[in-house]
Amino acid sequence: MRWSESYLFTLKDKPADAEIPSHQLMVRGGYIRKLAPGIFTYGPFFLRALKKFEHIIREELGKKGGVEILMPMVHPKEIWEETGRWKEMGAGLLKFKNRNDQEFCLGATHEEAVTDYVRGDVKSYRDLPFNLFQIQTKFRDEIRPRFGLMRGREFVMKDAYSFDVDKAGALKAYEKMYSAYEAIFQRLGVDFRIVKADSGNIGGDQSQEFHILAQSGEDELLVCENSDFAANVEVCPAVSEPVESSDSENPLEKFETPHLKTIDQLAKALKVPSQELVKTLFFNKAEPDSEVFEPVCVLTRGSDEANPIKLKNLWGLSNPPRLLSDKEVFEVSGAHPGSCGPVGLKMPVWMDHSLKGRKNMVVGANEDGYHYRNANLGRDFKVAEFADLRMAKEGDLSPDGKGTLKSFRGIEVGHIFYLGTKYSEKMKAQFLDESGNLQPIQMGCYGIGVTRSLQAAIEQSHDADGIIWPPSVAPFDLHVCLLDPDSPESLQLVDSIEKSLHAQGASIFVDDRQERPGVKFKDADLLGFPLRLNIGARSLANGEVELVDRATKEISKIKIAEAPQEISAAVQKKKGTHVH
Ligand code: ATP
Ligand code: MG
């Protein structure tokens, strides 16, 4: 392809609203253009990368028996009401009415749609198992779309759904998808980790996420230094050293703390580490959008954070519970946050495991400006439940006991779930088993953020000058900077290189604009194809052309007579050997 025949507009300056390098570079390189917040046009070059990645996905899913379909992106309200998710998904589902006042939403995920599809066809155990997938545009009305395609409102997802007769079959399907995903991200050529994850709104009780590691990642991952244990911090079990205090219980004593509002201020004033203090929080133990008001007190060490996802799962909610407002805290405890504690509360108190065994604790007195010293469990207050309520953190013992945890930032690019019968029961997707009994189908669901993965690959692979595409999905394999675009010799050489590359299925992009070499080199670096070839009158006179490796900037001189073969070989090598 020639620049002059293409649609490509690069920008010198980074767009004001792009915070992270991959977003800046994609806009500067003309790969994406914003139509509205979180909604983008994919330019012709990004579309090439997208198609290559989709091809990898199709091949790997095909190897595991995946069958491709394409479902509607507009869904009737009724199917989402069958599962209760019309309400549960909240404002993330974009809902609207048609001219007949019928309600619809844009597909944010397709468990309901696919279950409806399948229940119409499947009758017997003989019809199972199978695995359906699609690559399609999703819409989620994200509160804060940002970072370009990373958190878009409209984005491309690959979603797959497995259907089996029993749990063993469903877990086998899960394992197959796990290995397909491993192969997909290996072929993409990125550094990724697989971690235990929360099932979120999707449901089910086993789930893992695939993360591309990058500084700007929105997720924190905790990985054991010595084993393969890895989890999203949202669900990572927190291991706490047991406290075995042999201190005797001292008398409860109220003392003034007029200006001490935070744990840090209190720790400083009392000259004790915040870890030795107790943090008191109040949550509503009900769905965040419900009318029910059921205040619960949660206690952790002063240095810890309560984990709302763990609370959600412990309390059987579908969304994380909300913290009480300052006003509500005052109403239920008699004090404002900063002076609250468990003594005298009329509500259940949940205590994190790490506080078990503590004696003579400092806690808020439920009176503004006062704390208690020597508060003791049993004597001064009661605990309804001990549980793992806190965020695990770097330096904690790994739950598998094999070392300590290290923290990484990751971008979630894939997510696999074992669902069980959550959807099939509610939507009556059933089959007759061998004994003639009706059974709900066992399901799994599996997503890849296709557009997010590509941007995440760029976030992981770029330098100050531009993108360094993984060769597997680079829009073109070779970028030719034609320095004298009118020279017939140059054009002839380009033609023979192009023929040789096309013969092996490789692609070539030729910058044939009337521009200075410096401008062309800058754009080539920005666009980031794996190899660049400089062809100009001077190089032709010397009988040599320059091949530049985008990643290492290494230059090799190639004799013109051997150029077509040598360049084909170099392209082949790039494609074949790239492993992150
Ligand atoms: P997140 O936690 O990032 O909001 P999610 O857990 O809600 O994502 P899933 O329901 O697991 O997302 O969707 C499957 C995949 O789709 C995700 O792993 C992610 O790669 C991608 N994805 C989800 N939301 C977005 C978005 N707003 N923009 C781009 N890709 C997304
Ligand atoms: Mg997810």
Side-chain angles (χ1 to χ4, degrees):
M1 182 182 281
R2 305 286 185 269
W3 189 311
S4 60
E5 295 163 351
S6 176
Y7 182 94
L8 177 60
F9 296 88
T10 58
L11 306 174
K12 279 203 191 65
D13 297 315
K14 61 182 183 207
D17 64 349
E19 296 165 62
I20 57 171
S22 55
H23 184 192
Q24 294 163 1
L25 293 171
M26 290 185 82
V27 175
R28 284 188 52 215
Y31 287 108
I32 55 171
R33 290 288 182 257
K34 184 169 84 179
L35 176 63
I39 303 180
F40 293 85
T41 295
Y42 309 145
F45 287 56
F46 183 65
L47 198 58
R48 289 180 71 95
L50 190 61
K51 289 197 165 151
K52 286 192 175 179
F53 188 40
E54 289 180 358
H55 178 73
I56 294 175
I57 294 173
R58 287 193 169 93
E59 271 193 0
E60 295 302 329
L61 295 183
K63 282 184 201 166
K64 303 287 176 190
V67 177
E68 187 168 3
I69 58 172
L70 189 56
M71 289 182 273
M73 81 168 290
V74 172
H75 300 181
K77 175 184 182 179
E78 290 70 26
I79 57 168
W80 288 83
E81 290 221 299
E82 284 187 58
T83 61
R85 288 209 298 176
W86 183 258
K87 185 150 173 267
E88 196 183 300
M89 296 283 282
L93 271 190
L94 184 62
K95 300 164 182 167
F96 53 95
K97 286 181 182 171
N98 74 353
R99 65 180 84 196
N100 300 325
D101 236 21
Q102 288 158 331
E103 292 188 82
F104 294 90
C105 67
L106 290 183
T109 175
H110 279 61
E111 286 77 18
E112 283 80 1
V114 78
T115 308
D116 177 73
Y117 179 55
V118 162
R119 70 179 164 185
D121 290 320
V122 170
K123 303 272 176 310
S124 129
Y125 68 94
R126 286 191 210 92
D127 302 330
L128 296 161
F130 53 83
N131 185 321
L132 302 175
F133 78 93
Q134 64 171 350
I135 298 179
Q136 193 225 27
T137 298
K138 296 277 183 279
F139 195 96
R140 293 183 179 184
D141 204 5
E142 299 277 359
I143 303 174
R144 247 176 18 114
R146 56 186 192 142
F147 298 160
L149 306 184
M150 291 286 197
R151 185 162 298 285
R153 288 201 163 114
E154 190 179 299
F155 57 96
V156 178
M157 194 200 284
K158 184 289 299 171
D159 43 328
Y161 306 88
S162 63
F163 299 85
D164 283 85
V165 291
D166 54 17
K167 184 169 179 182
L171 291 178
K172 219 185 265 170
Y174 181 97
E175 290 307 324
K176 273 192 193 171
M177 292 306 270
Y178 179 102
S179 59
Y181 275 37
E182 266 190 317
I184 288 166
F185 290 111
Q186 263 157 17
R187 278 180 70 182
L188 176 58
V190 288
D191 190 7
F192 67 98
R193 292 282 185 290
I194 305 167
V195 303
K196 278 189 209 314
D198 183 54
S199 297
N201 263 320
I202 308 275
D205 58 6
Q206 180 175 336
S207 110
Q208 280 162 299
E209 288 168 350
F210 289 69
H211 282 263
I212 291 181
L213 299 183
Q215 272 302 317
S216 65
E218 287 185 335
D219 286 276
E220 185 184 351
L221 316 177
L222 292 170
V223 178
C224 178
E225 332 168 274
N226 305 327
S227 72
D228 59 5
F229 176 86
N232 192 314
V233 69
E234 288 183 340
V235 295
C236 183
V239 180
S240 311
E241 308 273 4
V243 190
E244 271 166 38
S245 169
S246 53
D247 295 356
S248 54
E249 294 187 357
N250 299 330
L252 189 66
E253 185 188 312
K254 197 191 272 184
F255 65 106
E256 266 189 278
T257 48
H259 305 296
L260 308 178
K261 295 255 151 47
T262 65
I263 290 278
D264 284 347
Q265 290 166 346
L266 191 64
K268 226 182 235 158
L270 302 182
K271 300 197 173 58
V272 291
S274 59
Q275 188 175 332
E276 287 181 19
L277 296 172
V278 175
K279 191 184 273 182
T280 305
L281 295 171
F282 296 92
F283 286 88
N284 187 20
K285 193 179 167 217
E287 290 298 342
D289 59 354
S290 83
E291 303 286 305
V292 181
F293 187 61
E294 203 187 321
V296 168
C297 170
V298 165
L299 303 178
T300 66
R301 292 183 299 198
S303 53
D304 289 331
E305 300 296 329
N307 182 330
I309 304 280
K310 287 183 181 172
L311 296 178
K312 176 201 80 162
N313 292 333
L314 278 166
W315 296 344
L317 304 174
S318 36
N319 286 299
R322 67 169 181 86
L323 270 171
L324 298 198
S325 68
D326 289 5
K327 189 166 158 272
E328 288 170 321
V329 169
F330 184 73
E331 282 164 13
V332 298
S333 75
H336 290 94
S339 298
C340 302
V343 180
L345 282 181
K346 291 190 180 58
M347 68 179 86
V349 174
W350 286 60
M351 191 181 243
D352 184 68
H353 281 315
S354 57
L355 288 171
K356 221 176 189 168
R358 280 273 177 107
K359 293 267 176 69
N360 300 324
M361 289 176 265
V362 173
V363 296
N366 294 327
E367 185 178 339
D368 281 347
Y370 287 91
H371 276 75
Y372 284 123
R373 231 177 232 121
N374 307 327
N376 282 293
L377 175 64
R379 185 189 70 183
D380 304 315
F381 65 95
K382 302 235 161 354
V383 161
E385 297 268 357
F386 284 100
D388 175 11
L389 307 174
R390 73 172 176 98
M391 292 281 195
K393 54 191 177 198
E394 182 164 87
D396 279 352
L397 277 179
S398 171
D400 67 2
K402 293 190 178 154
T404 53
L405 295 174
K406 239 179 112 58
S407 163
F408 291 89
R409 307 258 6 138
I411 300 165
E412 178 194 329
V413 288
H415 199 164
I416 57 178
F417 303 81
Y418 161 63
L419 290 174
T421 56
K422 172 174 168 166
Y423 293 89
S424 51
E425 264 182 56
K426 287 189 178 145
M427 295 186 71
K428 300 224 160 21
Q430 299 163 323
F431 66 97
L432 281 174
D433 67 14
E434 286 186 66
S435 340
N437 298 320
L438 261 188
Q439 300 270 6
I441 306 177
Q442 282 275 340
M443 290 172 58
C445 74
Y446 317 91
I448 289 181
V450 181
T451 38
R452 183 188 279 184
S453 296
L454 287 169
Q455 189 178 328
I458 295 175
E459 191 59 28
Q460 200 174 69
S461 176
H462 66 268
D463 62 15
D465 298 322
I467 295 170
I468 303 171
W469 279 105
S472 60
V473 291
F476 289 91
D477 298 304
L478 180 71
H479 186 128
V480 176
C481 286
L482 210 51
L483 305 179
D484 299 288
D486 299 325
S487 131
E489 293 83 7
S490 297
L491 289 170
Q492 213 179 352
L493 180 59
V494 168
D495 273 350
S496 56
I497 293 169
E498 188 163 28
K499 276 207 189 81
S500 152
L501 286 181
H502 283 176
Q504 64 176 47
S507 54
I508 163 171
F509 176 71
V510 183
D511 183 353
D512 59 348
R513 293 172 302 166
Q514 303 288 346
E515 284 287 0
R516 284 179 293 114
V519 172
K520 296 195 172 199
F521 298 156
K522 267 209 156 62
D523 275 333
D525 281 347
L526 173 62
L527 290 168
F529 310 154
L531 292 167
R532 156 158 62 96
L533 185 68
N534 301 328
I535 300 181
R538 204 184 317 152
S539 55
L540 289 173
N542 293 340
E544 282 182 340
V545 284
E546 274 179 2
L547 188 66
V548 188
D549 185 308
R550 175 63 189 86
T552 61
K553 302 248 162 122
E554 226 172 276
I555 300 176
S556 32
K557 306 260 188 207
I558 294 175
K559 295 225 167 6
I560 284 177
E562 290 150 20
Q565 301 85 312
E566 290 244 349
I567 289 161
S568 292
V571 164
Q572 211 49 49
K573 188 163 163 227
K574 266 273 163 207
K575 283 175 126 176
T577 58
H578 180 84
V579 199
H580 212 282

